[in-house]
Amino acid sequence: MIGRRKIRLYVTVGQRMLRDSLLFQLLLNDEVELVGESETGVDTLNRLGAARPGVLLIEENLQDNDGLTIAESALSLHPSLSVLLISDTPVSTGRLAIYLEAGIKAVVSKHQPVQELMKTLLYIRNGQVYVSARHNAAERMPTALNAYRALSRREQEVALLMASRVPVRDIAEQLGVSCKTVHSYKDRIFVKLGFERLPELILFMHRHQHGATS
Amino acid sequence: MIGRRKIRLYVTVGQRMLRDSLLFQLLLNDEVELVGESETGVDTLNRLGAARPGVLLIEENLQDNDGLTIAESALSLHPSLSVLLISDTPVSTGRLAIYLEAGIKAVVSKHQPVQELMKTLLYIRNGQVYVSARHNAAERMPTALNAYRALSRREQEVALLMASRVPVRDIAEQLGVSCKTVHSYKDRIFVKLGFERLPELILFMHRHQHGATS
DNA sequence: AATACTTTGTAGGAAATTCCTACACGAAAA
DNA sequence: TTTTCGTGTAGGAATTTCCTACAAAGTATT
């Protein structure tokens, strides 16, 4: 029972660079339909009516107002709207409670990976509330490392090579298997890690190898 | 004479969400090789030596220090490094002068589109300084509108349909031409507008049609 | 006006990619 | 010991990407 109809998305993010890059990311999913965007809170309120979004993705701190206030106004006008707030800092449980109280469906912080946004979007699309797993730092690293462990020997080999941008053709040759096989591994890797595009794998492998920044 | 060897890139951006989405964007270009990333200035200075990047992409405001300071330290240790600063606000000419004085190769503000980043990166890769065209707001909108006008009739039709996620197959049928032809239009559209992926076109068309935010 | 260069509409070929499906074999679970 | 699961391997179909082509219309140049 997966929500079938498209997600009508409205995005309110002040800085163009972030707005664009989030949108590029989200629009890769063909269930996402962009119905509007704004840089400010008032502009958002003005346009919401015409855009009729199902989900409002809004920054916590806007130039003119704070996202919470705008979200509350928006909700009073369009009660069926699902609001996803993007906070600047990791959200404390207390603060989260306040948000949920206000009718916001989920909060994602800018310190979380982008993929969380998409995941969250899919969760709240039908009005459910979504509280992300670890709002507490601690157990984040393991996710990545375990994920790597979950790959089989061959998959790991291929992941490594692909992350270095070695062409499929060459990987096949090096491993002595057919290109088709390499593609199979690729598919499996992407499924296992939940990736869609090469850059995600490159970043993942880089982080895996350089232990660092999570 | 296009710089052939890969761009060894180091990225220092505090918030994971922005860092990831910028990287996803930049890594789509296969000339970009990620050699390191940090959230903070000191961490950056610690790792730069080992990573040996050609370009350092660094935020102006970091938690622990400001990007300018870090960039200066980095430059004194690695004079051949090209630094690209990401500023929070549009940069005034005066401020820009200060940055250039410090040896920074280019500044891009978070209010500019992501694509500017990539463009700038390509410009400064070989050590040149790059001062982006419009640091003054005014003549931005036209760019987008003119770009659309630059498309031929058929290209406009296809752009419109593709931005609505109509499958190539259906577009071909609707226009009464072959899929191959539609692909040709697609290619031309992307070349003319300088796009690489569908989301860019979707966003472009959305903005074109809703005049707005640009 | 006549010749030359550019854009537009149209499409084909080759290679690569995506999305499925298949299938044997060893390992693990029932 | 059957059944089930993960892994190594690969094939097919449809789509996409990247080029190339080419005639007719349009623009520019001499």
Coordinates of all heavy atoms in Angstrom, one line a residue, chain A residues 113 134 138-151 156 192-193 195 200-201 203-209 211-214, chain B residues 16:
Chain A
P113 N 21.8 14.0 6.6 CA 22.1 13.8 5.2 C 20.8 14.2 4.4 O 19.7 14.0 4.9 CB 22.4 12.3 5.0 CG 22.5 11.7 6.4 CD 21.9 12.7 7.3
R134 N 17.3 8.4 14.8 CA 18.3 9.0 15.7 C 18.3 10.5 15.7 O 18.9 11.1 14.8 CB 19.7 8.5 15.4 CG 20.0 8.3 14.0 CD 20.7 8.2 13.0 NE 20.1 8.1 11.7 CZ 18.9 8.5 11.3 NH1 18.0 9.1 12.1 NH2 18.6 8.4 10.0
A138 N 25.2 9.9 18.5 CA 25.8 8.6 18.8 C 25.8 7.6 17.6 O 26.8 7.5 16.9 CB 25.1 8.0 20.0
E139 N 24.8 6.8 17.4 CA 24.8 5.7 16.5 C 24.5 6.1 15.1 O 23.6 5.6 14.4 CB 23.8 4.6 16.9 CG 22.9 5.0 18.0 CD 21.4 5.3 17.6 OE1 21.0 4.6 16.7 OE2 20.8 6.1 18.2
R140 N 25.4 6.9 14.5 CA 25.2 7.2 13.1 C 26.3 6.5 12.3 O 26.0 5.8 11.3 CB 25.3 8.8 12.9 CG 24.0 9.4 13.0 CD 24.1 10.9 12.7 NE 25.2 11.5 13.5 CZ 25.6 12.8 13.3 NH1 25.0 13.5 12.4 NH2 26.5 13.3 14.1
M141 N 27.6 6.7 12.7 CA 28.6 6.1 12.0 C 28.3 4.6 11.6 O 28.5 4.2 10.5 CB 29.9 6.1 12.8 CG 30.8 7.4 12.5 SD 31.2 7.5 10.8 CE 32.5 6.2 10.7
P142 N 28.0 3.8 12.6 CA 27.7 2.4 12.4 C 26.9 2.2 11.1 O 27.2 1.3 10.3 CB 27.0 1.9 13.6 CG 26.6 3.2 14.4 CD 27.6 4.2 14.0
T143 N 25.9 3.0 10.9 CA 25.0 2.8 9.8 C 25.8 2.6 8.5 O 25.7 1.6 7.8 CB 24.1 4.0 9.6 OG1 23.6 4.4 10.8 CG2 23.0 3.7 8.6
A144 N 26.7 3.5 8.3 CA 27.5 3.5 7.1 C 28.5 2.3 7.0 O 28.5 1.6 6.0 CB 28.4 4.7 7.0
L145 N 29.1 2.0 8.1 CA 30.0 0.9 8.1 C 29.3 -0.4 8.0 O 29.7 -1.3 7.2 CB 30.8 0.9 9.4 CG 31.9 1.9 9.5 CD1 33.0 1.6 10.6 CD2 32.7 2.0 8.1
N146 N 28.2 -0.6 8.7 CA 27.5 -1.8 8.6 C 27.0 -2.0 7.2 O 27.0 -3.1 6.6 CB 26.3 -1.8 9.5 CG 26.7 -2.0 11.0 OD1 27.8 -2.4 11.2 ND2 25.9 -1.6 11.9
A147 N 26.5 -0.9 6.6 CA 26.0 -1.0 5.2 C 27.1 -1.6 4.3 O 26.8 -2.4 3.5 CB 25.6 0.4 4.8
Y148 N 28.3 -1.1 4.5 CA 29.4 -1.6 3.7 C 29.6 -3.1 3.9 O 29.8 -3.9 3.0 CB 30.7 -0.9 4.0 CG 31.8 -1.3 3.0 CD1 31.8 -0.9 1.7 CD2 32.8 -2.1 3.5 CE1 32.9 -1.3 0.9 CE2 33.9 -2.5 2.6 CZ 33.9 -2.1 1.3 OH 34.9 -2.5 0.5
R149 N 29.6 -3.5 5.1 CA 29.7 -4.9 5.5 C 28.7 -5.8 4.8 O 28.9 -6.9 4.5 CB 29.6 -5.1 7.0 CG 30.7 -4.4 7.8 CD 31.9 -5.4 8.0 NE 33.1 -4.6 8.4 CZ 33.2 -3.8 9.5 NH1 32.2 -3.8 10.4 NH2 34.2 -3.1 9.7
A150 N 27.5 -5.2 4.6 CA 26.4 -5.9 4.1 C 26.6 -6.3 2.6 O 25.9 -7.1 2.1 CB 25.1 -5.1 4.2
L151 N 27.6 -5.7 2.0 CA 27.9 -6.0 0.6 C 28.7 -7.3 0.6 O 29.6 -7.5 1.4 CB 28.7 -4.9 0.0 CG 28.1 -3.5 -0.1 CD1 29.0 -2.5 -0.8 CD2 26.7 -3.5 -0.8
Q156 N 31.6 -5.5 -3.0 CA 32.6 -4.6 -2.4 C 33.6 -4.2 -3.5 O 34.0 -3.0 -3.6 CB 33.3 -5.2 -1.2 CG 32.3 -5.3 0.0 CD 33.0 -5.8 1.2 OE1 34.2 -5.9 1.3 NE2 32.2 -6.0 2.3
K192 N 21.0 -2.3 -2.0 CA 21.4 -2.5 -0.6 C 21.6 -1.2 0.1 O 21.3 -1.0 1.3 CB 22.6 -3.4 -0.6 CG 22.4 -4.8 -0.8 CD 23.6 -5.7 -0.5 CE 23.3 -7.2 -0.7 NZ 24.5 -8.0 -0.5
L193 N 22.3 -0.2 -0.6 CA 22.6 1.0 0.1 C 21.6 2.1 -0.1 O 21.7 3.2 0.5 CB 24.0 1.5 -0.4 CG 25.2 0.5 -0.3 CD1 26.5 1.1 -0.8 CD2 25.4 0.1 1.2
F195 N 20.9 3.7 -2.8 CA 21.4 4.9 -3.6 C 20.6 4.9 -5.0 O 20.1 3.9 -5.4 CB 22.9 4.7 -3.9 CG 23.7 4.9 -2.6 CD1 25.0 4.4 -2.6 CD2 23.1 5.5 -1.5 CE1 25.8 4.5 -1.4 CE2 23.9 5.6 -0.3 CZ 25.2 5.1 -0.3
E200 N 26.4 9.4 -5.0 CA 26.1 8.9 -3.7 C 27.1 7.8 -3.3 O 27.6 7.8 -2.2 CB 24.7 8.4 -3.6 CG 23.6 9.5 -3.7 CD 22.2 8.9 -3.8 OE1 21.6 8.5 -2.8 OE2 21.7 8.7 -5.0
L201 N 27.4 7.0 -4.2 CA 28.3 5.9 -3.9 C 29.7 6.4 -3.7 O 30.4 6.0 -2.8 CB 28.3 4.9 -5.1 CG 29.2 3.7 -4.9 CD1 28.8 2.9 -3.7 CD2 29.2 2.8 -6.1
L203 N 30.6 9.3 -2.6 CA 30.7 9.9 -1.3 C 30.7 8.9 -0.2 O 31.5 9.0 0.7 CB 29.4 10.8 -1.2 CG 29.5 12.0 -0.2 CD1 30.8 12.7 -0.3 CD2 28.3 12.9 -0.4
F204 N 29.8 7.9 -0.4 CA 29.8 6.8 0.6 C 31.1 6.1 0.8 O 31.6 5.9 1.9 CB 28.7 5.8 0.2 CG 28.7 4.6 1.1 CD1 28.0 4.6 2.3 CD2 29.3 3.4 0.7 CE1 27.9 3.5 3.1 CE2 29.3 2.3 1.5 CZ 28.6 2.3 2.7
M205 N 31.7 5.8 -0.3 CA 33.0 5.1 -0.3 C 34.1 6.0 0.2 O 34.9 5.5 1.0 CB 33.3 4.6 -1.7 CG 32.5 3.4 -2.2 SD 32.5 2.0 -1.1 CE 34.2 1.4 -1.4
H206 N 34.0 7.2 -0.2 CA 35.0 8.1 0.4 C 35.0 8.2 1.9 O 36.0 8.1 2.6 CB 34.8 9.5 -0.2 CG 35.8 10.5 0.3 ND1 37.1 10.7 -0.3 CD2 35.8 11.4 1.4 CE1 37.7 11.6 0.4 NE2 37.0 12.0 1.4
R207 N 33.8 8.3 2.4 CA 33.6 8.3 3.8 C 34.0 7.0 4.5 O 34.5 7.0 5.6 CB 32.2 8.7 4.2 CG 32.0 10.2 3.9 CD 30.5 10.6 4.0 NE 30.4 12.0 3.7 CZ 29.3 12.7 3.5 NH1 28.2 12.0 3.4 NH2 29.3 14.0 3.3
H208 N 33.6 6.0 3.8 CA 33.9 4.7 4.4 C 35.5 4.5 4.5 O 36.0 4.0 5.5 CB 33.4 3.6 3.5 CG 33.8 2.2 4.0 ND1 34.8 1.5 3.4 CD2 33.4 1.5 5.0 CE1 35.0 0.4 4.0 NE2 34.1 0.3 5.0
Q209 N 36.2 5.0 3.5 CA 37.6 4.8 3.5 C 38.3 5.8 4.4 O 39.4 5.5 4.9 CB 38.1 4.8 2.1 CG 37.6 3.7 1.2 CD 38.1 3.8 -0.2 OE1 37.8 4.8 -0.9 NE2 38.8 2.8 -0.7
G211 N 37.2 7.1 7.1 CA 36.5 7.1 8.4 C 35.7 8.3 8.8 O 34.6 8.2 9.3
A212 N 36.2 9.4 8.4 CA 35.9 10.7 9.0 C 34.4 11.1 9.1 O 33.5 10.3 9.5 CB 36.5 11.8 8.1
T213 N 34.2 12.3 8.9 CA 33.1 13.2 9.1 C 31.7 12.5 9.1 O 30.7 13.1 9.3 CB 33.0 14.1 7.9 OG1 34.3 14.6 7.6 CG2 32.1 15.4 8.2
S214 N 31.7 11.2 9.1 CA 30.4 10.5 9.1 C 29.8 10.7 7.7 O 28.6 10.8 7.6 CB 29.4 10.9 10.2 OG 28.2 10.3 10.0
Chain B
R16 N 25.8 19.2 7.1 CA 25.9 18.0 6.3 C 24.9 18.1 5.1 O 25.3 17.6 4.0 CB 25.5 16.8 7.2 CG 25.2 15.5 6.5 CD 26.4 14.8 6.2 NE 26.1 13.5 5.6 CZ 26.2 12.3 6.1 NH1 26.5 12.2 7.4 NH2 25.9 11.3 5.4

